[in-house]
Amino acid sequence: MTRILWTSMFALAAASPAVAQEDPPPSEVAPFCTEGYVHADTDDDRLISNEELQAAIDAEWEALDADRSGDLTNEEIVACLNLIAGTQSASTDRSAENMAEADTDADGMLSAQEFMDAAQAAYDDIHSDPSLSADDPRMMVLRRYIVLSPDEAGGPLSEMTSDDVAARSAQAFRDLDTNADEMIDAAEWSRQDSARRDIGAQINMRTTEIDTDRSGTVSAEEYRQSRMDDLEAAREAALSDAEGSGEGNAQDTASDDGAEGDVPVVYYRYESTF
């Protein structure tokens, strides 16, 4: 079973054309709108608990509900998620040669699963040696799989968490997958930089799905329920994947007494592409 989930497009920044409105002063821009995700794994244990998700939902809601009305309009959602639309990522050294390092089935394409695994492996590699400098070749490997702004490109990545890497590499996969076929071919991979992709139609569709009472807006209850559904889908996928691979305890996805457990961050962060 694949780990790739459609958790919620609200967990990642969109790339559709911005809604016409006045830009808020920089001090009023929520990090969720500028960074594209909320850091949910606050204790950095690579698991997302229900409590951590609740805190992340609160931060997302605060960023999205710009007029503090208690309901979300589609325009508010798009305005936040489009704030960095079209932004170019920092250049990397992606090439046909180093694509093979992640192409584990040697089919000439990178699936989201392969991309995810390569990003996590690169993250683990740099954290195995805390003395790495910013220009160490292992830092360059991680940069191939994550979204970085030009201002971030020259800095060290050792302070990033697994949650950061999961969210940023999910963004990178979607941005590189220009034809939206959920695979990255050699031409897409070899692009030295990328820009946020237009997913405006998917935002509209997702908003309609969450608006279960068909009121035309998304209430706090509807939004919270959709995000909890996302976590449950991630939990079930993680458990099924672990059982299918013979990992009996499913990596703490369920506790010994049968209660719902925490979810590995990679299952929560990597949704299907749009």
Side-chain angles (χ1 to χ4, degrees):
M1 171 165 180
T2 180
R3 297 178 184 177
I4 310 309
L5 306 172
W6 185 355
T7 58
S8 169
M9 71 181 59
F10 301 141
L12 298 173
S16 51
V19 172
Q21 62 179 26
E22 290 186 13
D23 293 332
S27 61
E28 297 180 11
V29 176
F32 179 50
C33 301
T34 58
E35 297 175 6
Y37 67 99
V38 169
H39 180 50
D41 182 22
T42 53
D43 60 6
D44 296 329
D45 65 352
R46 301 197 182 193
L47 299 171
I48 303 293
S49 67
N50 284 344
E51 292 76 16
E52 287 174 322
L53 181 64
Q54 295 293 340
I57 292 172
D58 290 343
E60 292 173 8
W61 181 267
E62 183 75 11
L64 289 166
D65 187 20
D67 64 4
R68 302 296 182 261
S69 66
D71 292 289
L72 296 181
T73 65
N74 191 67
E75 289 76 16
E76 283 179 311
I77 296 169
V78 174
C80 173
L81 299 184
N82 272 341
L83 191 61
I84 51 176
T87 302
Q88 293 290 121
S89 67
S91 294
T92 69
D93 67 343
R94 286 187 292 266
S95 67
E97 289 72 24
N98 54 44
M99 178 179 176
E101 298 171 5
D103 184 17
T104 55
D105 61 5
D107 66 350
M109 307 278 283
L110 293 184
S111 66
Q113 184 72 64
E114 289 173 320
F115 200 90
M116 172 179 70
D117 290 342
Q120 289 294 311
Y123 169 79
D124 290 339
D125 196 22
I126 68 169
H127 277 263
S128 67
D129 184 354
S131 66
L132 292 184
S133 63
D135 58 356
D136 188 280
R138 284 172 285 184
M139 292 284 188
M140 296 301 297
V141 173
L142 179 57
R143 289 189 179 98
R144 297 170 193 161
Y145 300 100
I146 61 176
V147 168
L148 291 172
S149 70
D151 291 339
E152 295 173 316
L157 307 178
S158 54
E159 294 184 2
M160 280 192 177
T161 67
S162 181
D163 192 9
D164 294 328
V165 170
R168 286 172 178 256
S169 53
Q171 292 175 359
F173 183 89
R174 188 179 63 198
D175 295 343
L176 288 170
D177 181 24
T178 54
N179 64 359
D181 66 351
E182 300 189 22
M183 300 290 287
I184 293 175
D185 60 29
E188 290 170 326
W189 169 261
S190 296
R191 295 173 59 203
Q192 297 303 301
D193 54 26
S194 59
R196 297 301 168 88
R197 207 181 77 200
D198 184 343
I199 59 170
Q202 290 89 332
I203 292 178
N204 295 336
M205 180 176 67
R206 179 65 168 164
T207 303
T208 299
E209 291 175 354
I210 294 174
D211 179 22
T212 55
D213 65 3
R214 301 297 180 261
S215 65
T217 60
V218 175
S219 68
E221 181 180 354
E222 288 170 327
Y223 186 78
R224 183 174 296 278
Q225 184 60 53
S226 76
R227 300 300 275 128
M228 294 305 295
D229 289 346
D230 296 338
L231 189 72
E232 183 57 31
R235 178 179 289 115
E236 292 177 359
L239 183 62
S240 177
D241 197 23
E243 290 175 345
S245 63
E247 298 175 10
N249 66 358
Q251 287 192 306
D252 298 324
T253 55
S255 63
D256 292 338
D257 63 2
E260 292 181 340
D262 299 344
V263 176
V265 65
V266 292
Y267 287 85
Y268 176 69
R269 284 297 184 194
Y270 278 83
E271 74 262 51
S272 62
T273 55
F274 309 105

